[in-house]
């Protein structure tokens, strides 16, 4: 058991080192040699746990992707209306990507691999299904306009989030992710919310925004 | 001059080979050895033109990124209203990514490198500025709601496009890109278009959609 614990600690050290490098210089530039150096490990230790750089990347996508989806799901276990949970969940995701290095590296790897890696494909598919399910519930509750298709709305919300995150990571090093999520929601809100609920959700968004903007880095 | 032409042909052959591999198996899996093999070139020829894999990637981002932005700009030289040009331009971009291998590889590399590569950062920044400029014109022309901020709308449109493209590349191998762009526009339209213009732009979008959906691969 001691041996197993030590082996797990080694594995985690390699993942941590890879995560740091991916966030600092990007996946293509992060070589296996740099990852080993930083983790103060031998090549043998790395290959014992990961057959290749992509196997290591897949572990990060799986673990980090689950944290991102987990943050969105957690926001849904409140008994609040589904649309509140969607909006709150999206800001929880922004927080997770900003504060959790593993989640941040995973979101970079997800964009890098997309359809070429089964774990990346599964993560996007699962998140999209989760989002669409919530939107369906929000339509049933009368908060999202009944003439809209749940999948179209789910895809638009999820796609705008992904694009907003990509733009923020590319143009401001992710520092203003909270601000850009707010901006996107402000534009989307009147398109998807039922007329009777728009006033309430503008207020709800404003409250979420203040909290999220405060978390943007200077 | 013959020598120069031959050298240019070699450079192009290497780029073509890299582009094919990036589209088929993704950038991380496309090794320099595979790129040389496919181009039937020597290592020396490759290193004569490109110091590293990232220098090669940068050339593809620059050339392919210019084609994508070029397609959007070309749609703007028609003398039509700015919002028509934005919508038409976005579908021209979808066509370019589907039909032009270089543009397709560039859009994958843009997501992979994001803020870590100056060419990627420049391409996103330039496209966003172009989009925001058009939205500003559309507000002046009365087609986009005057109470909206041009940059917020530009960022939302551009971000939704990027996210939609990423989701399509990841979940359906880019086959349904046209369909997903249409879906996103259908949701966005009522949020950004001035009430008097909504009817016209729904019709305009429907016409663009038919053409774009026809180009999706089966």
């Amino acid at each position: 058991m001691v041996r197993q614990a030590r082996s797990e600690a080694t594995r985690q050290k390699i993942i941590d080192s890879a995560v740091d490098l991916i966030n600092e210089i990007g996946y293509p530039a992060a070589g296996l040699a740099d990852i080993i150096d930083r983790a103060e490990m031998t090549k043998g230790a790395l290959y014992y746990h990961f057959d290749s750089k992509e196997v290591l990347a897949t572990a990060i996508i799986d673990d980090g992707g689950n944290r991102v989806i987990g943050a969105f799901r957690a926001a849904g276990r409140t008994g609040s209306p589904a649309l509140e949970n969607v909006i709150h969940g999206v800001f929880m995701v922004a927080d997770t990507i900003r504060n959790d290095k593993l989640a941040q590296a995973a979101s970079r790897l997800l964009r890098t691999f997309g359809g070429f890696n089964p774990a990346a494909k599964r993560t996007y598919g699962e998140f999209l299904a989760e989002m669409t399910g919530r939107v369906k519930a929000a339509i049933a509750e009368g908060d999202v306009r009944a003439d809209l298709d749940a999948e179209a709305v789910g895809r638009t919300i999820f796609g705008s989030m992904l694009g907003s995150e990509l733009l923020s990571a590319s143009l401001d090093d992710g520092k203003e992710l909270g601000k850009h999520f707010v901006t996107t929601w402000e534009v989307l809100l009147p398109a998807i919310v039922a007329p009777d609920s728009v006033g309430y959700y503008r207020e709800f968004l404003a409250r979420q925004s203040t909290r999220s903007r405060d978390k943007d880095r200077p």
Side-chain angles (χ1 to χ4, degrees), chain A:
Chain A
M1 286 314 261
V2 173
R3 196 189 226 163
Q4 205 182 317
R6 203 182 302 144
S7 169
E8 182 42 43
T10 304
R11 187 181 179 275
Q12 199 50 54
K13 238 177 161 172
I14 296 167
I15 288 190
D16 291 347
S17 157
V19 160
D20 284 344
L21 280 165
I22 290 164
N23 289 330
E24 285 165 24
I25 59 174
Y27 178 76
L32 284 180
D34 310 312
I35 295 170
I36 296 168
D37 269 5
R38 194 179 189 119
E40 299 180 331
M41 292 287 158
T42 61
K43 215 168 163 177
L46 180 116
Y47 282 111
Y48 175 79
H49 290 282
F50 306 102
D51 281 343
S52 66
K53 197 179 162 191
E54 180 159 354
V55 173
L56 175 53
T58 301
I60 297 172
I61 290 172
D62 268 328
D63 294 358
N66 284 339
R67 282 200 201 169
V68 172
I69 298 181
F72 186 72
R73 282 204 178 115
R77 291 193 206 98
T78 58
S80 305
L83 186 57
E84 283 191 20
N85 291 342
V86 167
I87 298 173
H88 183 55
V90 165
F91 285 105
M92 293 295 283
V93 166
D95 282 356
T96 306
I97 291 170
R98 278 184 292 194
N99 300 323
D100 181 331
K101 288 180 185 183
L102 178 69
Q104 187 176 128
S107 79
R108 293 185 195 277
L109 291 177
L110 280 162
R111 293 195 291 266
T112 300
F113 285 96
F116 294 120
N117 177 294
K121 203 169 173 164
R122 182 192 56 76
T123 305
Y124 280 139
E126 216 174 285
F127 203 140
L128 178 59
E130 187 79 28
M131 181 67 85
T132 301
R134 296 283 172 82
V135 172
K136 208 169 277 178
I139 291 176
E141 290 167 5
D143 280 337
V144 167
R145 285 168 39 200
D147 60 322
L148 291 176
D149 174 61
E151 215 200 302
V153 175
R155 203 175 253 274
T156 303
I157 296 173
F158 188 39
S160 323
M161 268 174 56
L162 289 173
S164 187
E165 189 206 335
L166 169 56
L167 276 181
S168 177
S170 303
L171 298 176
D172 56 61
D173 199 22
K175 283 184 188 130
E176 301 192 325
L177 183 60
K179 184 180 135 189
H180 297 313
F181 268 29
V182 171
T183 302
T184 303
W185 269 111
E186 281 170 352
V187 175
L188 279 181
L189 214 54
I192 61 173
V193 179
D196 284 354
S197 303
V198 168
Y200 173 75
Y201 277 101
R202 272 196 211 279
E203 181 69 20
F204 182 81
L205 177 63
R207 283 165 184 273
Q208 295 280 326
S209 313
T210 316
R211 261 179 277 163
S212 189
R213 277 194 178 122
D214 287 349
K215 286 175 193 154
D216 278 343
R217 279 176 287 150

